[in-house]
Amino acid sequence: MRVLQLIYASRPFGFDAAALEDILAVARHRNAQDGITGALICRHDLFMQVLEGPRAAVTACFGRILRDDRHVEVSLLWSGDAAARLFPDWTMRDDSVPSWMWSREALAAGAIAGATAEEARQVFVRLAREPHQCGLVLHATRH
């Protein structure tokens, strides 16, 4: 069954571990109800997330994200149909940004704005293949 995959990036506003823990708790609860899976890559200067699931549910979730004041400069990087989910067992996987991703300098120089849709998608394809490195939330588990 085909699903919608949507990838966006944003800049956190007031980033700290407590805010991230709240984001993940709410996302995991709501995503389980809505049939959404995905992953959130996070650090103090970047949120990058893939959402995957039924078109209406993913679109509604992205609408809520756009209104969330815990981040700014939301950029839609890719949205399209996929034959399969990258994160089928995760209502929301969390990871800090792996070392192979953009440096702080590259982000400051506009790496997100210059990334193609396929480059953004490949970040999550690669992340889906890697073992989970628990991010800032120490008790995060599969949901």
Side-chain angles (χ1 to χ4, degrees):
M1 170 165 78
R2 297 190 73 75
V3 296
L4 176 65
Q5 283 181 337
L6 183 147
I7 299 172
Y8 78 90
S10 65
R11 188 171 50 85
F13 183 75
F15 180 80
D16 63 25
L20 177 59
E21 198 161 334
D22 181 57
I23 289 168
L24 290 169
V26 170
R28 288 176 176 144
H29 175 76
R30 186 95 190 231
N31 290 354
Q33 291 177 331
D34 294 342
I36 295 174
T37 58
L40 173 64
I41 297 171
C42 49
R43 69 182 195 200
H44 80 283
D45 60 349
L46 173 68
F47 282 154
M48 190 167 168
Q49 185 172 28
V50 61
L51 301 168
E52 44 194 17
R55 181 171 300 280
V58 169
T59 301
C61 181
F62 188 56
R64 289 188 299 274
I65 288 166
L66 289 171
R67 293 184 300 274
D68 190 328
D69 62 1
R70 292 175 291 192
H71 58 161
V72 295
E73 300 172 15
V74 179
S75 299
L76 179 63
L77 301 177
W78 185 75
S79 179
D81 290 330
R85 295 172 188 250
L86 291 172
F87 300 94
D89 298 328
W90 292 89
T91 54
M92 189 49 57
R93 176 176 168 167
D94 69 293
D95 278 281
S96 56
V97 178
S99 61
W100 48 265
M101 284 189 61
W102 301 287
S103 68
R104 289 180 185 174
E105 294 78 19
L107 283 177
I112 292 293
T116 67
E118 186 57 22
E119 287 170 333
R121 193 173 173 291
Q122 286 304 313
V123 166
F124 288 101
V125 168
R126 183 172 176 180
L127 181 63
R129 293 185 195 133
E130 293 190 355
H132 182 247
Q133 301 289 327
C134 188
L136 293 176
V137 181
L138 299 177
H139 61 276
T141 58
R142 287 183 184 224
H143 295 274

